[in-house]
């Protein structure tokens, strides 16, 4: 498959030096060929039944730290909230 990198660069408004065009074309063709060789994903592709994954149970930890403990590390606190620099005028 022939890929026109100069045309793609023009459409995407990229500046590519002429001496690098051939290398990019070769690399892109190799990528497209590799993707073409990938197997199709079907329902037949399943996980290994002999080695199933065991996921841990998600357990929410509540109230691990007290609010005053966490705010003690902040450089500036006002009315129980963090004070941050203004970022938008």
């Amino acid at each position: 498959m022939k890929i026109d990198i100069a045309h793609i660069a023009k459409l995407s408004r990229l500046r590519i030096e002429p001496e690098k065009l051939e290398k990019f074309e070769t690399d892109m063709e190799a990528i497209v060929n590799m993707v073409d060789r990938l197997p199709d994903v079907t329902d037949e592709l399943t996980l290994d039944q002999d080695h199933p994954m065991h996921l841990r149970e998600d357990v929410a930890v509540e109230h691990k730290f007290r609010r005053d403990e966490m705010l003690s590390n902040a450089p500036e606190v006002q009315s129980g909230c963090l004070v941050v620099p203004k970022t938008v005028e």
Side-chain angles (χ1 to χ4, degrees):
M1 165 184 251
K2 181 68 176 155
I3 297 176
D4 187 1
I5 292 294
H7 182 66
I8 294 172
K10 179 182 175 187
L11 292 175
S12 58
R13 296 183 180 176
L14 295 174
R15 186 178 313 126
I16 300 177
E17 288 93 25
E19 60 271 5
K20 292 186 179 180
L21 284 175
E22 187 175 332
K23 179 192 180 313
F24 284 123
E25 286 177 0
T26 305
D27 291 347
M28 187 61 70
E29 288 170 7
I31 292 169
V32 170
N33 289 332
M34 179 195 65
V35 171
D36 284 341
R37 287 192 309 268
L38 290 174
D40 291 333
V41 177
T42 64
D43 291 336
E44 296 172 10
L45 296 176
T46 59
L47 296 175
D48 185 0
Q49 298 300 323
D50 297 330
H51 301 95
M53 294 190 301
H54 299 287
L55 303 177
R56 67 168 172 78
E57 182 180 338
D58 285 333
V59 178
V61 177
E62 294 183 23
H63 308 296
K64 186 174 180 177
F65 299 103
R66 292 189 337 263
R67 183 181 186 93
D68 58 336
E69 280 183 87
M70 291 190 295
L71 292 176
S72 68
N73 292 320
E76 189 175 349
V77 177
Q78 186 176 23
S79 301
C81 298
L82 297 173
V83 178
V84 296
K86 186 176 182 179
T87 57
V88 178
E89 294 292 327

